[in-house]
Amino acid sequence: MRRMKVGRLMTDDVVSALPETSFREVAKLLAEHDVTGLPVVDEDDHVVGVVSESDLLARRALTTRELMSTPAVTVHAEEAVPDAARLMVRCGVERLPVVDEEERLVGIVTRRDLLSVFLRPDAEIRDRIRDEVIDDVPDLPDDAVDVRVLDGVVTLVGRVRRPGQAEMIVRLAERVEGVVAVRDRLSTGAEAAHSPPRAVHDALG
């Protein structure tokens, strides 16, 4: 299954600061570029921290070295968007510097960038689940599973031959870009069609 990578969403023209950048200059950079935070890099472009508006407001200091939050939480351009979103939520940050294999700064991705993935049209999400998930399940009739999508929430209705198939379909559907949550209404084997529904799965875990 294809998964959107962070590199497709990141901004590669990144405004950054050095540890020696002054308080005043950081404030100026934030205002001029209309951003709320900057990665801080050393002379080799390795990310050593992040400085934000809240850092400036919370403490007065002469240089970025004294203001920045460390260590910086970073991602690689090849990481999947849902994984980056989970990292951002888990760490409570608004932006993630994107680094290459040598941990050098190559871009930045924000919560707004990641959320844009979840604005995909419902019809597009449905088509991708049918094409990339349902159609690839072996030994499954074409009409076995009905895929319904509303506001990014996917409902899977139908009957599959084995419990493992149902689990696989739900797991793969959660990974499709744009999916907010998956409602599992699948029955297996001899289960009655009116069996109680299983859990709703959050796409971000």
Side-chain angles (χ1 to χ4, degrees):
M1 173 180 293
R2 299 186 303 273
R3 302 188 72 189
M4 184 178 290
K5 307 297 184 181
V6 168
R8 286 187 57 188
L9 295 179
M10 73 180 188
T11 299
D12 54 15
D13 184 16
V14 190
V15 181
S16 60
L18 297 170
E20 296 75 25
T21 303
S22 68
F23 179 105
R24 186 182 181 88
E25 183 63 22
V26 170
K28 183 178 179 182
L29 287 171
L30 293 174
E32 285 182 347
H33 296 277
D34 192 26
V35 293
T36 60
L38 303 171
V40 182
V41 298
D42 63 16
E43 58 186 11
D44 296 318
D45 277 341
H46 294 127
V47 180
V48 296
V50 174
V51 62
S52 66
E53 289 177 336
S54 58
D55 292 324
L56 269 65
L57 294 172
R59 50 186 184 272
R60 292 285 178 170
L62 296 178
T63 65
T64 302
R65 188 187 307 277
E66 301 164 279
L67 292 165
M68 66 184 183
S69 300
T70 58
V73 181
T74 62
V75 294
H76 289 88
E78 290 304 308
E79 290 189 43
V81 167
D83 295 335
R86 291 187 187 96
L87 177 64
M88 191 173 285
V89 170
R90 185 167 66 248
C91 296
V93 296
E94 298 290 332
R95 66 198 59 80
L96 294 170
V98 184
V99 296
D100 62 15
E101 296 80 2
E102 298 181 350
E103 304 300 319
R104 291 191 173 93
L105 181 69
V106 295
I108 195 163
V109 65
T110 66
R111 286 197 177 198
R112 180 176 297 178
D113 296 328
L114 298 183
L115 285 173
S116 68
V117 173
F118 295 96
L119 299 179
R120 287 180 180 273
D122 290 340
E124 181 180 334
I125 295 171
R126 180 186 183 280
D127 290 343
R128 291 195 63 182
I129 291 176
R130 289 226 57 96
D131 295 343
E132 299 177 16
V133 178
I134 306 300
D135 290 350
D136 288 343
V137 177
D139 194 29
L140 187 68
D142 292 341
D143 59 352
V145 177
D146 183 27
V147 181
R148 306 168 187 173
V149 185
L150 180 62
D151 294 335
V153 178
V154 176
T155 302
L156 301 171
V157 181
R159 180 178 294 186
V160 296
R161 299 179 188 276
R162 298 181 298 276
Q165 287 180 321
E167 295 169 3
M168 180 179 68
I169 291 170
V170 170
R171 184 174 68 252
L172 293 179
E174 290 172 352
R175 298 173 63 178
V176 171
E177 280 80 23
V179 172
V180 175
V182 176
R183 291 194 173 104
D184 181 0
R185 302 291 190 266
L186 297 173
S187 58
T188 59
E191 291 182 17
H194 59 273
S195 296
R198 291 194 286 270
V200 175
H201 302 259
D202 188 328
L204 291 184

